[in-house]
Amino acid sequence: MRLAVFAYHDIGYECLKLLIDWKEETVALVTHEDDPEEKTWFRSVAELGRRHGLAVYSPSNPNAPAFVDLVRRLEPDLILSFYYRLLLSKDLLAIPRLGGINLHGSLLPRYRGRAPVNWALVNGETETGVTLHYMVEKADAGDIIARRAVPIEIEDTAPTLFHKLTAAAAELFKATYPLIKAGAAPRMPQDSRLATTFGRRRPEDGKISWERPALAIYNLIRAVTHPYPGAFTFYRGRKLYLWVSTLSHQVTTAGGVRPGTIAAVERGRGIVVSAGDGSLVVTRMQFEGEGEMPADELIGRYGIEVGTILGD
């Protein structure tokens, strides 16, 4: 079977590797040029493809007529998409006799759209997963082939959860591909009433609102920690990144303590900061443009005292 594979990121790498191991005929590997402003902490699909002699393309617009014509001339039987970031047009999807199939990083129909891993953590979910589905013009809305659930532990961060999803994606694809190849994959329509859709996250979305509950702030920090842009607050106008935190059993808002107040220093552990409901212990911090360090060391170095209020 002739395949046109659209892939990026670690999930794209692992699924393409399976196709290579199975000696499937990939007539085109379509991926993205790395964004110089984005930290590329994941493996390169393009490098993997070139090592194995695949024809690699990275069009800025895969739906441009010239590129659609190129794919048409290659006559793929199936389009596969693994964490490719652009929506494919109906003209592209109409080319292969078996259509197009995408692997998405959530349990559809929930968390359609961009950054599902980060959004699931921001929203405090306890479960997510991966879904194989047929592609239609609307993002992540096609009939479901199969899903695999992944639990979210309270200690999970964006990179640890993404690692779990990468493994789950490879397992799901390996188990399901024989049905796909035979043209016998099931089709389960999505219930649009259960759908949730989220857009891409921007660096400015990492700003902390200390009036929110401690758990919500903790979830934000772990959702956008390294290698993502980070959650941040301010100290005397300087941007201060909070990279790691834990939930505190202390409730520092009782008695009128203002949210964002540094309530205590726990040497060797971090600083206790009050929130709108409860408090959290921040363990790793960094002023913009300077080095990251333990939170208790940072406030000591800069003379930041207990009782200081963080925020705008």
Side-chain angles (χ1 to χ4, degrees):
M1 183 160 63
R2 296 168 64 82
L3 303 174
V5 179
F6 292 68
Y8 198 57
H9 223 289
D10 278 341
I11 284 179
Y13 187 100
E14 286 297 325
C15 291
L16 176 63
K17 187 174 182 297
L18 285 173
L19 292 171
I20 291 169
D21 291 344
W22 296 333
K23 296 182 169 47
E24 294 290 353
E25 185 180 6
T26 298
V27 296
L29 173 60
V30 187
T31 188
H32 301 286
E33 294 285 352
D34 292 332
D35 185 344
E37 296 185 2
E38 179 180 356
K39 188 181 292 184
T40 50
W41 52 277
F42 41 84
R43 291 166 291 176
S44 171
V45 166
E47 288 180 8
L48 176 63
R50 291 189 184 107
R51 285 203 307 269
H52 291 272
L54 302 183
V56 179
Y57 304 90
S58 53
S60 58
N61 178 11
N63 301 310
F67 192 76
V68 173
D69 286 343
L70 183 152
V71 174
R72 188 176 290 114
R73 291 195 299 272
L74 293 172
E75 299 182 335
D77 297 301
L78 175 67
I79 285 176
L80 290 171
S81 173
F82 307 112
Y83 250 70
Y84 188 73
R85 292 176 170 177
L86 300 177
L87 193 63
L88 303 186
S89 68
K90 64 179 181 180
D91 291 335
L92 264 178
L93 297 176
I95 293 171
R97 62 183 178 85
L98 294 176
I101 291 172
N102 178 55
L103 193 146
H104 183 69
S106 78
L107 294 175
L108 292 174
R110 301 192 67 206
Y111 290 94
R112 293 176 178 175
R114 295 289 296 272
V117 172
N118 309 87
W119 280 114
L121 288 167
V122 167
N123 292 334
E125 301 289 356
T126 58
E127 183 183 68
T128 185
V130 290
T131 302
L132 277 167
H133 67 95
Y134 292 95
M135 284 192 281
V136 294
E137 281 191 273
K138 186 175 180 180
D140 307 319
D143 293 348
I144 291 171
I145 297 171
R147 306 190 303 172
R148 181 157 297 195
V150 172
I152 302 176
E153 309 296 338
I154 192 65
E155 299 85 6
D156 271 323
T157 62
T160 66
L161 183 54
F162 203 94
H163 180 74
K164 290 180 180 180
L165 290 177
T166 299
E171 292 167 1
L172 180 65
F173 183 55
K174 187 174 183 178
T176 310
Y177 185 65
L179 288 174
I180 294 172
K181 187 174 181 178
R187 303 188 76 114
M188 296 171 280
Q190 294 190 41
D191 186 345
S192 60
R193 296 170 300 176
L194 302 178
T196 57
T197 303
F198 294 85
R200 67 179 298 173
R201 288 193 61 82
R202 305 163 299 170
E204 54 265 36
D205 294 330
K207 184 179 177 182
I208 294 169
S209 296
W210 292 107
E211 293 77 13
R212 300 200 68 201
L215 179 58
I217 297 170
Y218 170 78
N219 286 335
L220 173 62
I221 292 170
R222 66 186 179 130
V224 295
T225 191
H226 300 301
Y228 294 95
F232 63 90
T233 187
F234 292 90
Y235 169 71
R236 294 185 177 177
R238 297 186 65 187
K239 184 179 281 189
L240 181 62
Y241 289 96
L242 281 57
W243 294 112
V244 184
S245 68
T246 60
L247 292 170
S248 172
H249 295 298
Q250 301 181 49
V251 180
T252 59
T253 49
V257 177
R258 180 174 167 183
T261 300
I262 299 176
V265 177
E266 298 185 355
R267 294 298 175 191
R269 186 176 179 222
I271 62 172
V272 180
V273 185
S274 63
D277 177 14
S279 60
L280 68 163
V281 179
V282 180
T283 59
R284 302 282 302 178
M285 301 169 70
Q286 175 184 6
F287 275 117
E288 186 174 35
E290 301 190 12
E292 179 185 340
M293 66 183 70
D296 56 324
E297 291 183 18
L298 184 145
I299 69 164
R301 176 175 297 186
Y302 291 94
I304 304 172
E305 299 178 347
V306 171
T308 296
I309 300 172
L310 301 176
D312 288 340

